[in-house]
Protein backbone atom coordinates (compact mmCIF):
# COMPACT_ATOMS: atom_id res chain seq x y z
CA UNK A 1 0.00 0.00 0.00
CA UNK A 2 1.40 3.39 -0.95
CA UNK A 3 1.27 6.00 1.81
CA UNK A 4 -0.91 9.06 1.27
CA UNK A 5 0.95 12.30 0.61
CA UNK A 6 2.11 14.34 3.55
CA UNK A 7 0.15 17.53 4.10
CA UNK A 8 1.86 19.81 6.57
CA UNK A 9 -1.13 22.10 7.14
CA UNK A 10 -4.73 20.97 6.61
CA UNK A 11 -7.45 23.45 7.46
CA UNK A 12 -11.12 22.65 6.95
CA UNK A 13 -14.30 24.60 6.55
CA UNK A 14 -16.24 25.25 9.74
CA UNK A 15 -19.06 27.48 11.02
CA UNK A 16 -18.20 31.14 11.04
CA UNK A 17 -18.45 31.22 14.84
CA UNK A 18 -15.30 29.11 15.09
CA UNK A 19 -12.05 30.92 14.31
CA UNK A 20 -9.57 28.77 12.43
CA UNK A 21 -7.06 31.52 11.71
CA UNK A 22 -5.65 31.57 15.23
CA UNK A 23 -1.93 32.15 15.50
CA UNK A 24 -0.09 29.19 17.04
CA UNK A 25 -0.41 30.33 20.65
CA UNK A 26 0.55 28.17 23.61
CA UNK A 27 -0.73 28.24 27.15
CA UNK A 28 1.75 30.81 28.42
CA UNK A 29 1.03 33.07 25.44
CA UNK A 30 -2.58 33.26 26.64
CA UNK A 31 -1.58 34.10 30.21
CA UNK A 32 -2.43 30.74 31.77
CA UNK A 33 -0.62 30.77 35.13
CA UNK A 34 1.29 27.51 34.93
CA UNK A 35 3.68 26.77 37.75
CA UNK A 36 7.41 26.23 37.38
CA UNK A 37 10.27 27.44 35.21
CA UNK A 38 10.43 26.17 31.64
CA UNK A 39 13.42 25.35 29.50
CA UNK A 40 14.17 27.68 26.56
CA UNK A 41 11.88 25.78 24.16
CA UNK A 42 9.31 24.65 26.73
CA UNK A 43 9.46 21.26 25.01
CA UNK A 44 10.72 17.72 25.56
CA UNK A 45 13.68 18.64 23.36
CA UNK A 46 14.96 20.90 26.14
CA UNK A 47 16.44 17.64 27.45
CA UNK A 48 19.71 17.53 25.52
CA UNK A 49 19.83 14.86 22.84
CA UNK A 50 16.09 14.24 22.57
CA UNK A 51 14.76 14.39 19.01
CA UNK A 52 11.16 14.32 17.76
CA UNK A 53 9.80 13.61 14.28
CA UNK A 54 6.32 13.43 12.76
CA UNK A 55 4.65 11.94 9.71
CA UNK A 56 1.17 13.39 9.09
CA UNK A 57 -1.39 11.76 6.79
CA UNK A 58 -4.41 13.82 5.72
CA UNK A 59 -6.42 12.87 2.62
CA UNK A 60 -10.02 12.72 1.45
CA UNK A 61 -13.32 13.98 2.83
CA UNK A 62 -16.94 13.00 3.20
CA UNK A 63 -18.41 9.54 3.61
CA UNK A 64 -16.27 6.87 5.25
CA UNK A 65 -15.24 4.11 2.85
CA UNK A 66 -13.03 1.59 4.63
CA UNK A 67 -9.70 1.36 2.82
CA UNK A 68 -10.17 4.65 0.99
CA UNK A 69 -10.67 7.23 3.70
CA UNK A 70 -11.02 9.93 4.78
CA UNK A 71 -7.55 9.68 6.33
CA UNK A 72 -6.58 11.67 9.42
CA UNK A 73 -3.69 9.89 11.10
CA UNK A 74 0.09 9.60 11.34
CA UNK A 75 3.15 8.62 13.36
CA UNK A 76 5.33 10.42 15.92
CA UNK A 77 8.85 9.33 16.92
CA UNK A 78 10.77 10.32 20.07
CA UNK A 79 14.46 9.41 20.29
CA UNK A 80 16.03 9.72 23.77
CA UNK A 81 19.60 10.27 22.49
CA UNK A 82 18.81 11.20 18.91
CA UNK A 83 18.28 8.96 15.92
CA UNK A 84 22.00 8.48 15.34
CA UNK A 85 22.61 6.89 18.74
CA UNK A 86 22.20 3.21 19.57
CA UNK A 87 22.90 3.70 23.28
CA UNK A 88 19.89 2.59 25.38
CA UNK A 89 18.60 4.68 28.28
CA UNK A 90 17.34 3.73 31.72
CA UNK A 91 13.52 3.76 31.67
CA UNK A 92 10.39 2.90 33.61
CA UNK A 93 6.71 2.76 32.65
CA UNK A 94 3.28 2.90 34.28
CA UNK A 95 -0.30 2.32 33.19
CA UNK A 96 -3.05 4.31 34.91
CA UNK A 97 -5.73 2.50 32.90
CA UNK A 98 -4.98 -0.36 30.57
CA UNK A 99 -7.43 -0.05 27.66
CA UNK A 100 -4.53 0.66 25.33
CA UNK A 101 -1.19 -0.62 24.11
CA UNK A 102 2.48 0.18 24.50
CA UNK A 103 4.57 -2.63 23.07
CA UNK A 104 7.96 -3.60 24.42
CA UNK A 105 7.18 -2.59 27.99
CA UNK A 106 7.67 -6.07 29.47
CA UNK A 107 11.32 -5.86 28.40
CA UNK A 108 11.58 -2.28 29.70
CA UNK A 109 10.30 -3.59 33.03
CA UNK A 110 12.64 -6.59 33.01
CA UNK A 111 15.83 -4.95 31.73
CA UNK A 112 15.38 -1.41 32.98
CA UNK A 113 16.35 -0.04 29.57
CA UNK A 114 14.58 1.55 26.61
CA UNK A 115 16.31 0.27 23.46
CA UNK A 116 15.37 2.74 20.74
CA UNK A 117 12.67 5.33 20.03
CA UNK A 118 9.22 5.66 21.51
CA UNK A 119 6.76 5.60 18.60
CA UNK A 120 3.15 6.82 18.82
CA UNK A 121 0.40 6.16 16.25
CA UNK A 122 -3.23 5.04 16.05
CA UNK A 123 -4.62 1.89 17.63
CA UNK A 124 -4.73 -0.27 14.52
CA UNK A 125 -1.29 0.75 13.23
CA UNK A 126 0.81 -0.43 16.16
CA UNK A 127 1.89 -3.61 14.36
CA UNK A 128 3.11 -2.03 11.15
CA UNK A 129 4.97 0.68 13.06
CA UNK A 130 6.61 -1.90 15.32
CA UNK A 131 7.79 -3.91 12.32
CA UNK A 132 8.97 -0.74 10.58
CA UNK A 133 11.17 0.17 13.56
CA UNK A 134 12.87 -3.23 13.41
CA UNK A 135 13.50 -2.90 9.69
CA UNK A 136 14.81 0.66 10.18
CA UNK A 137 17.21 -0.58 12.87
CA UNK A 138 18.42 -3.47 10.68
CA UNK A 139 18.86 -1.16 7.71
CA UNK A 140 21.12 1.09 9.79
CA UNK A 141 23.32 -1.84 10.81
CA UNK A 142 22.43 -1.75 14.50
CA UNK A 143 21.58 -5.42 14.85
CA UNK A 144 25.32 -6.03 14.94
CA UNK A 145 25.22 -4.64 18.49
CA UNK A 146 21.89 -6.12 19.60
CA UNK A 147 20.61 -9.62 18.98
CA UNK A 148 16.90 -8.74 19.06
CA UNK A 149 14.60 -5.72 18.93
CA UNK A 150 11.44 -5.17 20.99
CA UNK A 151 10.32 -1.67 19.96
CA UNK A 152 8.17 0.55 22.15
CA UNK A 153 5.11 1.59 20.14
CA UNK A 154 2.11 3.26 21.79
CA UNK A 155 -1.32 4.18 20.47
CA UNK A 156 -4.50 6.16 20.91
CA UNK A 157 -7.73 5.72 18.92
CA UNK A 158 -8.55 8.09 16.05
CA UNK A 159 -11.50 6.13 14.65
CA UNK A 160 -13.89 9.07 14.85
CA UNK A 161 -12.09 11.31 12.38
CA UNK A 162 -9.97 8.68 10.61
CA UNK A 163 -10.61 5.55 8.53
CA UNK A 164 -8.82 3.56 11.20
CA UNK A 165 -9.83 0.18 9.76
CA UNK A 166 -8.37 1.17 6.40
CA UNK A 167 -4.85 0.67 7.79
CA UNK A 168 -3.41 3.67 5.95
CA UNK A 169 -0.18 3.95 7.96
CA UNK A 170 2.60 2.16 6.08
CA UNK A 171 6.12 1.30 7.17
CA UNK A 172 7.38 4.15 4.98
CA UNK A 173 5.43 6.57 7.18
CA UNK A 174 7.10 5.26 10.32
CA UNK A 175 10.47 5.56 8.57
CA UNK A 176 9.66 9.15 7.59
CA UNK A 177 8.80 10.05 11.18
CA UNK A 178 12.07 8.55 12.42
CA UNK A 179 14.21 10.02 9.64
CA UNK A 180 12.75 13.50 10.25
CA UNK A 181 13.42 13.48 14.00
CA UNK A 182 15.46 16.41 15.22
CA UNK A 183 16.00 18.64 18.23
CA UNK A 184 14.65 22.17 18.53
CA UNK A 185 11.02 23.31 18.55
CA UNK A 186 8.39 20.56 18.39
CA UNK A 187 5.36 20.93 16.14
CA UNK A 188 2.19 20.47 18.19
CA UNK A 189 -1.52 19.89 17.66
CA UNK A 190 -3.02 17.71 14.94
CA UNK A 191 0.25 16.33 13.61
CA UNK A 192 1.95 12.93 13.52
CA UNK A 193 0.26 10.35 15.69
CA UNK A 194 -1.98 13.11 17.06
CA UNK A 195 -3.52 14.05 13.71
CA UNK A 196 -6.96 12.54 14.29
CA UNK A 197 -7.16 12.75 18.08
CA UNK A 198 -9.81 14.32 20.32
CA UNK A 199 -9.08 15.65 23.82
CA UNK A 200 -11.86 16.58 26.26
CA UNK A 201 -14.14 16.60 23.20
CA UNK A 202 -12.08 19.40 21.67
CA UNK A 203 -9.52 18.73 18.94
CA UNK A 204 -6.47 17.14 20.56
CA UNK A 205 -3.13 15.74 19.43
CA UNK A 206 0.52 16.29 20.28
CA UNK A 207 1.63 18.68 23.02
CA UNK A 208 4.86 19.28 24.87
CA UNK A 209 6.34 21.29 27.74
CA UNK A 210 9.39 21.30 30.01
CA UNK A 211 10.58 22.34 33.44
CA UNK A 212 14.04 23.32 34.65
CA UNK A 213 14.80 22.74 38.32
CA UNK A 214 16.46 25.37 40.47
CA UNK A 215 20.24 24.96 40.88
CA UNK A 216 19.72 24.00 44.49
CA UNK A 217 17.58 21.06 43.33
CA UNK A 218 20.20 19.96 40.81
CA UNK A 219 19.32 22.20 37.87
CA UNK A 220 17.98 19.21 35.95
CA UNK A 221 15.51 19.42 33.05
CA UNK A 222 12.29 17.45 32.70
CA UNK A 223 10.50 17.36 29.34
CA UNK A 224 7.09 15.88 28.56
CA UNK A 225 5.39 14.99 25.27
CA UNK A 226 1.76 13.85 25.20
CA UNK A 227 -0.61 12.43 22.62
CA UNK A 228 -3.93 13.44 24.18
CA UNK A 229 -7.14 11.77 23.09
CA UNK A 230 -9.09 11.40 26.34
CA UNK A 231 -11.65 13.02 28.61
CA UNK A 232 -15.24 14.18 28.95
CA UNK A 233 -15.88 17.87 28.32
CA UNK A 234 -17.59 18.55 31.64
CA UNK A 235 -14.53 17.34 33.58
CA UNK A 236 -12.09 19.76 31.93
CA UNK A 237 -10.45 22.26 34.25
CA UNK A 238 -7.60 24.59 33.30
CA UNK A 239 -5.76 26.50 36.02
CA UNK A 240 -8.55 25.38 38.33
CA UNK A 241 -11.30 27.01 36.27
CA UNK A 242 -14.24 24.82 35.11
CA UNK A 243 -13.59 25.35 31.41
CA UNK A 244 -15.62 22.29 30.36
CA UNK A 245 -18.72 23.55 32.12
CA UNK A 246 -18.31 27.10 30.84
CA UNK A 247 -17.68 26.06 27.20
CA UNK A 248 -20.27 23.31 26.97
CA UNK A 249 -21.08 23.81 23.27
CA UNK A 250 -18.81 23.07 20.31
CA UNK A 251 -19.03 19.35 20.97
CA UNK A 252 -18.16 16.92 18.15
CA UNK A 253 -20.97 16.75 15.62
CA UNK A 254 -21.81 15.60 12.12
CA UNK A 255 -21.71 18.43 9.58
CA UNK A 256 -23.86 20.36 8.99
CA UNK A 257 -23.92 20.58 12.75
CA UNK A 258 -27.20 22.50 12.98
CA UNK A 259 -29.27 19.52 11.79
CA UNK A 260 -31.05 17.00 13.99
CA UNK A 261 -28.66 14.19 13.05
CA UNK A 262 -25.76 16.10 14.56
CA UNK A 263 -23.81 14.68 17.48
CA UNK A 264 -21.49 11.84 18.29
CA UNK A 265 -22.86 8.45 17.37
CA UNK A 266 -23.81 5.97 20.07
CA UNK A 267 -20.74 3.92 19.12
CA UNK A 268 -18.48 6.84 20.11
CA UNK A 269 -19.32 7.81 23.71
CA UNK A 270 -17.57 10.92 25.01
CA UNK A 271 -15.14 9.05 27.27
CA UNK A 272 -13.65 6.87 24.53
CA UNK A 273 -9.98 7.67 24.11
CA UNK A 274 -6.56 7.49 25.68
CA UNK A 275 -3.43 9.46 26.50
CA UNK A 276 0.19 8.52 25.97
CA UNK A 277 2.77 10.46 27.97
CA UNK A 278 6.54 10.39 27.43
CA UNK A 279 8.69 11.93 30.17
CA UNK A 280 12.37 12.69 29.53
CA UNK A 281 14.96 13.96 31.98
CA UNK A 282 18.70 14.46 32.20
CA UNK A 283 18.65 13.71 35.91
CA UNK A 284 20.55 10.51 36.73
CA UNK A 285 17.71 8.18 37.72
CA UNK A 286 17.58 4.40 37.80
CA UNK A 287 14.66 2.36 36.42
CA UNK A 288 12.78 2.04 39.71
CA UNK A 289 12.99 5.82 40.14
CA UNK A 290 11.84 6.44 36.58
CA UNK A 291 8.80 4.26 37.21
CA UNK A 292 8.01 6.57 40.10
CA UNK A 293 8.38 9.57 37.78
CA UNK A 294 6.09 7.97 35.18
CA UNK A 295 3.40 7.49 37.85
CA UNK A 296 3.45 11.21 38.63
CA UNK A 297 2.34 12.04 35.10
CA UNK A 298 -1.08 10.79 36.20
CA UNK A 299 -1.31 13.71 38.62
CA UNK A 300 -0.85 16.15 35.74
CA UNK A 301 -3.77 14.51 33.93
CA UNK A 302 -5.82 14.70 37.12
CA UNK A 303 -5.21 18.44 37.46
CA UNK A 304 -7.12 18.90 34.21
CA UNK A 305 -10.00 16.64 35.24
CA UNK A 306 -8.90 13.31 33.80
CA UNK A 307 -10.36 10.32 35.66
CA UNK A 308 -8.89 7.35 33.71
CA UNK A 309 -12.32 6.21 32.51
CA UNK A 310 -13.06 2.58 31.75
CA UNK A 311 -12.40 2.83 28.02
CA UNK A 312 -9.31 5.03 28.29
CA UNK A 313 -5.77 3.76 27.78
CA UNK A 314 -3.53 5.94 29.95
CA UNK A 315 0.04 4.69 29.56
CA UNK A 316 3.19 6.58 30.50
CA UNK A 317 6.93 6.00 30.05
CA UNK A 318 9.86 7.92 31.53
CA UNK A 319 13.55 7.77 30.61
CA UNK A 320 16.81 9.37 31.66
CA UNK A 321 19.55 10.46 29.25
CA UNK A 322 22.17 10.32 32.03
CA UNK A 323 24.44 7.32 32.63
CA UNK A 324 25.53 6.97 29.02
CA UNK A 325 26.84 3.57 27.93
CA UNK A 326 25.55 1.88 31.09
CA UNK A 327 24.03 -0.95 29.04
CA UNK A 328 27.14 -1.33 26.86
CA UNK A 329 29.61 -1.91 29.68
CA UNK A 330 30.63 -5.58 29.61
CA UNK A 331 32.06 -5.42 33.10
CA UNK A 332 30.97 -3.56 36.22
CA UNK A 333 28.97 -0.50 35.06
CA UNK A 334 29.49 2.66 37.07
CA UNK A 335 26.24 4.64 37.36
CA UNK A 336 25.02 7.58 39.38
CA UNK A 337 21.58 8.38 40.76
CA UNK A 338 19.73 11.17 42.46
CA UNK A 339 19.02 10.30 46.07
CA UNK A 340 15.40 9.50 46.83
CA UNK A 341 15.59 12.31 49.38
CA UNK A 342 16.18 14.71 46.46
CA UNK A 343 13.72 13.31 43.94
CA UNK A 344 10.56 15.23 44.87
CA UNK A 345 11.37 18.31 42.72
CA UNK A 346 11.53 15.97 39.70
CA UNK A 347 8.07 14.64 40.61
CA UNK A 348 6.76 18.19 40.83
CA UNK A 349 8.31 19.12 37.49
CA UNK A 350 6.71 16.08 35.85
CA UNK A 351 3.25 17.01 37.12
CA UNK A 352 3.62 20.61 35.98
CA UNK A 353 5.01 19.80 32.53
CA UNK A 354 2.36 17.15 31.89
CA UNK A 355 -0.44 19.57 32.74
CA UNK A 356 0.96 22.24 30.42
CA UNK A 357 1.72 19.81 27.58
CA UNK A 358 -1.91 18.68 27.46
CA UNK A 359 -3.17 22.26 27.32
CA UNK A 360 -0.61 23.09 24.62
CA UNK A 361 -1.86 20.16 22.55
CA UNK A 362 -5.42 21.48 22.60
CA UNK A 363 -4.39 25.08 21.95
CA UNK A 364 -2.23 24.11 18.96
CA UNK A 365 -4.91 21.91 17.39
CA UNK A 366 -7.28 23.25 14.75
CA UNK A 367 -10.88 22.39 13.98
CA UNK A 368 -11.00 19.30 11.80
CA UNK A 369 -13.69 17.61 9.69
CA UNK A 370 -13.07 13.93 9.14
CA UNK A 371 -14.83 10.68 8.30
CA UNK A 372 -18.59 10.94 7.71
CA UNK A 373 -18.23 14.71 8.15
CA UNK A 374 -17.52 14.44 11.86
CA UNK A 375 -16.47 17.92 13.00
CA UNK A 376 -14.27 18.29 16.07
CA UNK A 377 -13.78 21.88 17.15
CA UNK A 378 -10.64 23.53 18.40
CA UNK A 379 -10.61 24.95 21.90
CA UNK A 380 -11.40 28.65 21.23
CA UNK A 381 -8.61 30.79 22.62
CA UNK A 382 -10.70 33.91 23.20
CA UNK A 383 -13.38 32.05 25.12
CA UNK A 384 -10.78 30.25 27.19
CA UNK A 385 -9.26 33.56 28.20
CA UNK A 386 -12.72 34.86 29.11
CA UNK A 387 -13.34 31.87 31.38
CA UNK A 388 -9.97 32.25 33.08
CA UNK A 389 -10.62 35.96 33.57
CA UNK A 390 -14.03 35.22 35.08
CA UNK A 391 -12.42 32.98 37.70
CA UNK A 392 -9.46 35.32 38.28
CA UNK A 393 -7.05 32.77 36.85
CA UNK A 394 -5.58 34.83 34.01
CA UNK A 395 -1.97 35.87 34.35
CA UNK A 396 -0.43 39.13 33.13
Amino acid sequence: MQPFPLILVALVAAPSSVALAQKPERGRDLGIPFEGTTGPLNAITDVAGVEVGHRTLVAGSGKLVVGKGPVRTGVTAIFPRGKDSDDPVFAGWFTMNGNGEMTGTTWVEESGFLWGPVMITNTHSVGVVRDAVIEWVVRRGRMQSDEWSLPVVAETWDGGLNDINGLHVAKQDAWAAMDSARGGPVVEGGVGGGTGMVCNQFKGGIGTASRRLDPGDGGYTVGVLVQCNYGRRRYLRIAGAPVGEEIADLVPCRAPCSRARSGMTAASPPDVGSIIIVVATDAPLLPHQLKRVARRAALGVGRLGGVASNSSGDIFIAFSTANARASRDSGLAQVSLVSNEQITPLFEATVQATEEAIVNAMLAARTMIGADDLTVYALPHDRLRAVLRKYNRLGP
Side-chain angles (χ1 to χ4, degrees):
M1 179 185 298
Q2 292 298 317
F4 283 82
L6 172 65
I7 300 179
L8 296 178
V9 179
L11 300 181
V12 295
S16 58
S17 61
V18 179
L20 291 177
Q22 300 165 329
K23 69 177 184 179
E25 293 175 307
R26 307 181 79 197
R28 289 173 183 262
D29 298 326
L30 295 180
I32 299 175
F34 292 115
E35 299 171 320
T37 302
T38 73
L41 298 172
N42 195 15
I44 194 171
T45 47
D46 282 324
V47 178
V50 175
E51 295 181 349
V52 176
H54 300 300
R55 172 69 166 175
T56 301
L57 300 176
V58 176
S61 62
K63 181 177 175 57
L64 171 65
V65 179
V66 174
K68 295 185 178 180
V71 180
R72 307 283 188 272
T73 195
V75 185
T76 292
I78 305 101
F79 285 89
R81 301 192 194 278
K83 60 180 177 293
D84 293 328
S85 173
D86 65 353
D87 186 14
V89 291
F90 283 131
W93 77 290
F94 172 71
T95 175
M96 184 164 65
N97 194 66
N99 195 344
E101 179 64 279
M102 183 182 283
T103 68
T105 47
T106 52
W107 185 230
V108 170
E109 183 80 11
E110 182 74 18
S111 69
F113 287 102
L114 168 64
W115 301 65
V118 177
M119 308 293 290
I120 319 178
T121 187
N122 76 63
T123 306
H124 292 179
S125 297
V126 169
V128 68
V129 172
R130 176 197 176 278
D131 293 349
V133 173
I134 296 173
E135 191 168 345
W136 187 88
V137 169
V138 170
R139 199 174 63 206
R140 293 171 75 95
R142 294 186 181 173
M143 293 304 286
Q144 297 174 6
S145 301
D146 303 307
E147 296 177 351
W148 65 81
S149 180
L150 294 169
V152 173
V153 182
E155 56 77 25
T156 60
W157 186 81
D158 59 15
L161 288 163
N162 177 50
D163 173 24
I164 192 170
N165 293 328
L167 307 178
H168 296 281
V169 173
K171 62 183 180 181
Q172 291 88 349
D173 300 311
W175 295 343
M178 290 185 283
D179 289 339
S180 69
R182 57 181 53 86
V186 176
V187 182
E188 299 173 291
V191 296
T195 301
M197 303 305 169
V198 182
C199 192
N200 295 290
Q201 296 180 272
F202 288 116
K203 184 69 185 70
I206 300 292
T208 190
S210 70
R211 290 295 184 273
R212 179 164 290 175
L213 273 59
D214 293 337
D217 292 324
Y220 303 115
T221 299
V222 174
V224 170
L225 183 141
V226 306
Q227 181 164 297
C228 71
N229 187 57
Y230 77 99
R232 288 178 180 265
R233 173 69 61 82
R234 64 186 173 88
Y235 296 157
L236 176 61
R237 304 182 71 85
I238 296 178
V243 172
E245 295 178 1
E246 293 284 348
I247 309 178
D249 58 334
L250 300 181
V251 294
C253 58
R254 303 286 178 188
C257 288
S258 59
R259 293 186 179 178
R261 69 186 181 96
S262 297
M264 294 288 281
T265 65
S268 300
D271 62 349
V272 163
S274 303
I275 182 167
I276 299 299
I277 301 176
V278 181
V279 184
T281 185
D282 55 8
L285 300 178
L286 298 188
H288 69 284
Q289 296 175 309
L290 288 160
K291 191 176 187 73
R292 299 180 72 194
V293 168
R295 287 194 184 103
R296 270 58 183 188
L299 299 176
V301 178
R303 282 190 174 189
L304 296 170
V307 299
S309 62
N310 176 66
S311 60
S312 188
D314 310 308
I315 309 176
F316 318 140
I317 188 167
F319 61 80
S320 167
T321 59
N323 291 308
R325 309 300 297 178
S327 72
R328 300 301 189 191
D329 195 322
S330 60
L332 183 65
Q334 301 293 321
V335 299
S336 60
L337 76 157
V338 171
S339 164
N340 281 342
E341 298 300 320
Q342 304 297 321
I343 202 171
T344 297
L346 294 166
F347 293 164
E348 183 179 13
T350 299
V351 176
Q352 293 172 354
T354 299
E355 177 187 21
E356 186 168 358
I358 294 169
V359 174
N360 284 341
M362 289 189 288
L363 290 174
R366 298 291 175 260
T367 295
M368 178 175 282
I369 298 175
D372 287 334
D373 295 321
L374 178 65
T375 301
V376 180
Y377 294 104
L379 173 60
H381 297 191
D382 55 346
R383 293 180 61 183
L384 173 60
R385 284 178 57 88
V387 172
L388 296 175
R389 186 177 295 110
K390 175 180 177 180
Y391 288 88
N392 297 314
R393 298 301 298 154
L394 197 63

